[in-house]
Amino acid sequence: MEMLISGITIFVLAIFVGFEIITKIPPTLHTPLMSGANAISGITLVGAILSAGSQQTLVTTVLGGLAVVFATINVVGGFMVTNRMLEMFKKKS
C-alpha cells in the first residue's frame, strides 16, 4: 500500500511540475523543445517495444502494446507539428 501511495504522490507532483514548466516556456522555444520531446518519445517507444516483447505476463504484454501504440502516435504527431512549425519560418517563393 505504501508503494501505491508513493507512486501516486510522485505522479501528481510530476503533473504539477510539468504544467509549471510548460506554461513558463516562451513561444520561440517551442520548436526546439518539440524536437527534444520527439527524441524522448522515441526512447519511450523503444522501452515500450521491449516491455511488450518481454511477454512476462499478459498484463505487461497488453500494457506494453498499448504503450507502443500511444508512443508511436506521440512521435508521429510531434514530428508533424514540428514540420508544420518549421514550414512557417521558410521564405515563400
Side-chain angles (χ1 to χ4, degrees), residues 21-80:
I21 289 172
I22 289 172
T23 56
K24 303 291 190 256
I25 294 174
T28 54
L29 293 177
H30 280 219
T31 301
L33 288 174
M34 277 298 284
S35 297
N38 288 337
I40 293 170
S41 293
I43 295 168
T44 305
L45 182 58
V46 171
I49 291 170
L50 290 173
S51 176
S54 69
Q55 297 181 348
Q56 293 179 359
T57 65
L58 180 62
V59 174
T60 59
T61 304
V62 169
L63 289 177
L66 286 173
V68 168
V69 170
F70 289 130
T72 303
I73 291 170
N74 194 18
V75 169
V76 172
F79 278 116
M80 289 174 65

Side-chain angles (χ1 to χ4, degrees), residues 5 46 86:
I5 292 173
V46 171
L86 291 174

